[in-house]
Amino acid sequence: QVQVVQSGGGMAQPGNSLTLTCAASGCSASGCAMGWFRRVPGKRREWVAGVSWNTGRTFYDISVKGRFTISRDNTKNAMSLHMDNLSIDDTAVYFCAATPRSACGDCMGPWEFEVWGQGTQVTVSA
């Protein structure tokens, strides 16, 4: 059974950086495709980024492309989301998600992931 544990986050000033980490367990040798989502109170959950584990291809929402980067540790089926040049609009609870499948289409839809992390707060404030 696939499980995920996420860590990281916290507070940062605009323009600074933070890193989130998510480790999946119970994946096959091909690995688990993974993604990041976020939710602001009162708003719908939105997709942030994803990685199709079989190819290593990464996908990013337009709002974070060029600022956020996924790196992965193949030996641990873990990924990190490096968030640079943070803005106040990035404030949200961030969720890691995973699927037992090693591939995801464009890794954008929450329906592609069956397993979800507990969420971690990221607050960007001056």
Side-chain angles (χ1 to χ4, degrees), residues 10-84:
M11 297 185 65
Q13 293 184 332
N16 286 355
S17 302
L18 285 172
T19 297
L20 303 176
T21 299
C22 180
S25 60
C27 301
S28 71
S30 300
C32 293
M34 302 174 78
W36 288 100
F37 295 78
R38 65 188 181 186
R39 185 172 64 219
V40 175
K43 295 187 177 181
R44 296 185 66 178
R45 178 179 54 189
E46 62 179 24
W47 173 71
V48 176
V51 55
S52 192
W53 209 263
N54 61 332
T55 61
R57 187 177 178 186
T58 53
F59 305 84
Y60 301 94
D61 182 76
I62 187 81
S63 66
V64 306
K65 196 169 186 178
R67 300 188 299 119
F68 290 12
T69 305
I70 287 177
S71 63
R72 60 176 190 164
D73 182 342
N74 288 335
T75 64
K76 300 178 182 178
N77 211 135
M79 66 170 179
S80 293
L81 183 68
H82 306 282
M83 304 182 291
D84 296 325

Side-chain angles (χ1 to χ4, degrees), residues 82-125:
H82 306 282
M83 304 182 291
D84 296 325
N85 193 22
L86 286 162
S87 74
I88 293 175
D89 291 340
D90 295 317
T91 296
V93 177
Y94 284 71
F95 296 89
C96 170
T99 173
R101 298 177 298 278
S102 62
C104 49
D106 50 15
C107 308
M108 290 178 62
W111 55 84
E112 296 193 76
F113 304 101
E114 294 88 358
V115 181
W116 293 80
Q118 75 278 16
T120 186
Q121 179 70 45
V122 170
T123 302
V124 184
S125 174

